Amino acid sequence: MAERPHAIEAVPVRHPWRWVFAVLIVLIVANAIWSVATEAQLEWSVIGEYLFSEQIFNGIGLTLVLTVIAMTMGVVLGVVLAVMWLSPNPLASGASWFYIWIFRGTPVLVQLLFWGFLGAVYPHVSIGVPFGGPELLGGSSNELITPFMAAIFGLGFNEAAYMAEIVRAGITSVDEGQEEAAAALGMSRMKTMRRIVLPQAMRVIIPPTGNETISMLKTSSLVSVIAVSDLLYQARLIYSRNYNTIELLIVASLWYLFFTSILTIIQYYLERYYNRGSRREPPPSRIEHFVKNFLPRHDRSATEPLPPRSGDSK
Amino acid sequence: MSAAAVTPMVDADRVHKRFGRNEVLRGITLSVAPGEVMCLLGPSGSGKSTFLRCINHLERVDAGELRVDGELVGYREASGKIYEQKESEVARDRSHIGMVFQRFNLFPHKTALGNVIEAPMMVLNLSRTEATDRGRALLDRVGLLDRCDAYPAQLSGGQQQRVAIARALAMEPKLMLFDEPTSALDPELVGDVLAVMRQLVDDGMTMVVVTHEIGFAREAGDQLVFMDEGVVVEQGDPREVIASPQHERTKAFLSKVL
Ligand SMILES: Nc1ncnc2c1ncn2[C@@H]1O[C@H](COP(=O)(O)OP(=O)(O)OP(=O)(O)O)[C@@H](O)[C@H]1O
Ligand SMILES: [Mg+2]
């Protein structure tokens, strides 16, 4: 065998424009920070005082609980609706179509108000024999549908309509050969869906679901219209007393930003998990990507010897 | 043993199938005895895949009778009437028939072993340990035990197809269907897959193989069926048909693939 050739030592491609833009961006950001710090009439102490206050924490707790429950409801119901939509049963797909038509076609704010004021139309709700038969379970709407329940219903049922569309797109993205292979092995439609199709659809479903969750975290602030004391509601309560409006909005925003950042990180790892098997190597993380494409490569690979070529199988 | 005494594994009697106005199968009559290997040949579009898919009811037969191991495919006979099978009955019948696809159709989110043990666990309700034992033995049999933790994307086409064969065998089928199992492979990978199939032939598996591998048909096949435009043009002993085809269309086709 011939001697191993030297590793290639090429001068990497330079990207001068990246540096120009970088300098520009640093200047703009620095100026913004400087102006906020020196000119804006903000009472920084108020932000510090309320950022970790109990009242704000209560609001955060409620916002998170609302987001988690509404998203869970949205995902579960969304999967059911998507499977119904794609089912050969025309009644099921029709019902799914109708649901999505209603809940996606009206503003979520209207839906929240509707659930919030349901008591005005239906003072009494019950489960029992239909068409006025004996009732098994029932009570006054205002007791059963508390503002919290109304918020869950409003956000969750609305989210399900959007999730159904996302899940449907995911399911249809999976190669038909997969269903066929599972069917040929004797797997039922339901097992095929659960074990073969949905896990593959996840790759398409996860990124927009991450967006939906982030969006839900913020959309949940609408529930203050039906007097549910979420993060924004608490912030508004406080500034209605002390008039530090902007400061408290900043407090709320900082927390929204904090949680959306966490969600973004979770989303990244979920995507990577559901991408397994579809690529030969996991994608680089955001930071790796940045380092690779921005900083000039004093290439490690140029100084280190080439790794041995991975032999073909066996 | 007289031919009439054993129930054929596959018994097709004037099978018809149409897609819309396109009649794809126009009266297929053939029979595969247990342990026999039938090779199906024919030009593109002649209905080979469609017929194969009818055997495990991935396509529904419109007219004629198709039986596997004596039972009607897709229907149930009771007191002189014919009922459509329920989904669970169709699934149960399919679980006894293995199928290997041209494009492998491995589950990309599962490892080689995961692919093989999925149906035994989900359909036969084997425990994970039982299924894993069976799966590893099968991967060993197709020469891929060392790759059992690899995902399909990390395997070559030939390796993927061998995993697909192991996956089908894991259900311990009584009949194996192959739809051009080597057509999507680079020439140097075809041999590995054919070797696994030959081994199956030696083990006495009943097989229906759609293939353009004339060598395989000649050496491993018990019967050769040449199809064109939805009908059986010629059938018989592979060596004879290949050496001296009787029909013009068979001659024309063989001269192209040989
Ligand atoms: N699901 C379907 N819907 C409509 N037409 C179909 C369908 N499946 C197959 N056909 C048609 O039936 C005919 C036979 O197809 P088939 O796949 O059985 O041929 P084949 O002999 O397997 O060909 P090839 O060698 O190209 O695989 C073709 O004309 C094809 O277009
Ligand atoms: Mg075909």
Side-chain angles (χ1 to χ4, degrees):
Chain A
M1 212 177 94
E3 200 187 317
R4 170 183 287 284
H6 282 293
I8 298 170
E9 287 190 39
V11 178
V13 177
R14 305 285 174 198
H15 299 285
W17 283 107
R18 289 186 190 170
W19 286 100
V20 173
F21 280 117
V23 170
L24 216 65
I25 289 167
V26 168
L27 281 178
I28 293 171
V29 172
N31 181 45
I33 293 175
W34 183 78
S35 103
V36 170
T38 59
E39 291 173 28
Q41 308 266 317
L42 287 175
E43 288 182 42
W44 294 97
S45 62
V46 175
I47 295 179
E49 182 186 337
Y50 283 105
L51 194 55
F52 299 103
S53 74
E54 196 189 333
Q55 203 176 349
I56 289 291
F57 275 178
N58 289 341
I60 291 170
L62 200 78
T63 290
L64 292 182
V65 167
L66 273 178
T67 305
V68 169
I69 297 182
M71 273 317 287
T72 311
M73 220 169 115
V75 169
V76 172
L77 202 56
V79 170
V80 173
L81 284 166
V83 172
M84 278 169 66
W85 175 292
L86 296 169
S87 103
N89 179 346
L91 211 69
S93 64
S96 169
W97 179 89
F98 184 75
Y99 181 101
I100 294 170
W101 182 65
I102 292 281
F103 282 89
R104 214 178 50 166
T106 53
V108 63
L109 185 56
V110 171
Q111 289 173 37
L112 278 169
L113 289 167
F114 171 84
W115 291 109
F117 294 105
L118 191 65
V121 200
Y122 269 112
H124 189 87
V125 287
S126 65
I127 299 174
V129 180
F131 302 113
E135 118 183 13
L136 306 172
L137 206 76
S140 127
S141 296
N142 286 334
E143 278 167 34
L144 280 176
I145 305 183
T146 58
F148 179 76
M149 290 302 282
I152 294 290
F153 286 170
L155 296 174
F157 286 139
N158 180 259
E159 187 54 37
Y162 285 92
M163 281 310 301
E165 291 289 284
I166 291 170
V167 174
R168 187 167 66 95
I171 291 174
T172 35
S173 77
V174 176
D175 179 29
E176 271 181 314
Q178 293 291 308
E179 262 174 84
E180 219 155 71
L185 288 164
M187 290 174 71
S188 67
R189 242 178 65 84
M190 269 306 154
K191 273 184 184 151
T192 303
M193 189 54 77
R194 193 163 53 83
R195 301 277 309 180
I196 306 299
V197 176
L198 279 179
Q200 292 183 59
M202 282 302 184
R203 220 154 54 81
V204 174
I205 293 173
I206 288 284
T209 304
N211 286 343
E212 289 295 310
T213 312
I214 288 170
S215 158
M216 175 63 78
L217 190 78
K218 295 169 296 167
T219 308
S220 66
S221 62
L222 289 179
V223 300
S224 54
V225 296
I226 48 174
V228 175
S229 45
D230 73 319
L231 174 54
L232 185 63
Y233 186 85
Q234 296 287 15
R236 284 167 61 184
L237 271 189
I238 298 170
Y239 72 61
S240 66
R241 273 186 270 114
N242 65 10
Y243 301 108
N244 291 115
T245 311
I246 298 294
E247 286 82 354
L248 276 140
L249 288 178
I250 288 177
V251 166
S253 298
L254 284 174
W255 280 114
Y256 281 117
L257 214 60
F258 174 74
F259 286 108
T260 50
S261 308
I262 290 185
L263 287 174
T264 308
I265 294 168
I266 296 175
Q267 184 182 4
Y268 165 74
Y269 282 101
L270 275 177
E271 273 177 37
R272 205 160 76 150
Y273 176 78
Y274 282 107
N275 262 323
R276 79 195 188 286
S278 70
R279 299 184 191 192
R280 285 171 188 228
E281 281 170 32
S285 75
R286 203 71 216 143
I287 294 168
E288 275 175 78
H289 180 80
F290 181 82
V291 170
K292 236 171 147 179
N293 286 289
F294 200 92
L295 303 178
R297 283 162 293 182
H298 302 296
D299 242 334
R300 290 172 304 283
S301 59
T303 48
E304 284 169 20
L306 287 167
R309 279 190 56 155
S310 55
D312 257 3
S313 67
K314 299 186 199 164
Chain B
M1 194 160 54
S2 75
V6 279
T7 315
M9 187 56 81
V10 180
D11 193 8
D13 182 18
R14 290 162 298 155
V15 167
H16 285 255
K17 171 71 193 173
R18 60 165 74 239
F19 291 110
R21 303 185 57 191
N22 179 13
E23 183 144 60
V24 175
L25 299 181
R26 300 184 294 152
I28 301 283
T29 301
L30 52 77
S31 165
V32 186
E36 225 180 18
V37 177
M38 170 180 283
C39 293
L40 269 176
L41 252 71
S44 181
S46 55
K48 306 177 301 289
S49 300
T50 304
F51 178 68
L52 212 60
R53 293 159 56 82
C54 284
I55 296 176
N56 65 358
H57 205 47
L58 286 176
E59 303 290 357
R60 190 170 158 272
V61 170
D62 296 326
E65 244 185 49
L66 181 57
R67 289 174 185 276
V68 170
D69 208 7
E71 305 273 337
L72 275 182
V73 174
Y75 303 94
R76 182 161 34 89
E77 290 163 298
S79 54
K81 277 193 182 165
I82 292 183
Y83 299 89
E84 224 172 302
Q85 277 184 330
K86 284 186 291 194
E87 194 207 320
S88 58
E89 294 169 320
V90 173
R92 187 204 54 216
D93 286 353
R94 280 179 184 150
S95 71
H96 301 305
I97 304 173
M99 189 166 202
V100 176
F101 302 86
Q102 182 173 359
R103 281 167 53 249
F104 327 134
N105 292 354
L106 287 182
F107 306 135
H109 60 304
K110 294 186 179 290
T111 61
L113 185 64
N115 268 273
V116 178
I117 66 176
E118 178 67 16
M121 289 197 311
M122 286 295 123
V123 179
L124 305 179
N125 296 318
L126 294 194
S127 73
R128 181 170 285 274
T129 15
E130 287 171 304
T132 303
D133 287 346
R134 183 184 286 193
R136 292 179 66 89
L138 282 166
L139 284 173
D140 195 18
R141 193 161 147 197
V142 300
L144 288 171
L145 187 55
D146 55 334
R147 304 291 281 148
C148 67
D149 292 323
Y151 285 99
Q154 298 163 329
L155 297 172
S156 75
Q159 292 171 332
Q160 289 189 52
Q161 193 60 296
R162 284 184 280 155
V163 173
I165 294 173
R167 177 176 72 174
L169 292 176
M171 296 297 287
E172 303 190 324
K174 56 188 178 190
L175 168 67
M176 285 285 286
L177 310 174
F178 292 84
D179 192 359
E180 304 197 34
T182 57
S183 318
L185 298 178
D186 291 339
E188 74 267 26
L189 302 176
V190 169
D192 290 342
V193 172
L194 288 182
V196 169
M197 289 170 63
R198 286 210 165 88
Q199 194 191 322
L200 270 182
V201 175
D202 293 341
D203 293 346
M205 176 64 76
T206 315
M207 296 165 45
V208 180
V209 186
V210 176
T211 185
H212 294 291
E213 294 291 329
I214 300 296
F216 178 84
R218 184 164 40 209
E219 288 147 36
D222 299 304
Q223 263 198 83
L224 187 147
V225 169
F226 178 75
M227 272 175 70
D228 195 10
E229 296 181 351
V231 292
V232 174
V233 174
E234 187 163 351
Q235 74 183 99
D237 182 87
R239 284 150 290 268
E240 282 167 25
V241 176
I242 292 165
S244 54
Q246 299 301 308
H247 205 283
E248 279 308 318
R249 282 191 274 180
T250 323
K251 280 180 197 164
F253 179 78
L254 284 174
S255 70
K256 266 182 250 161
V257 294
L258 272 175

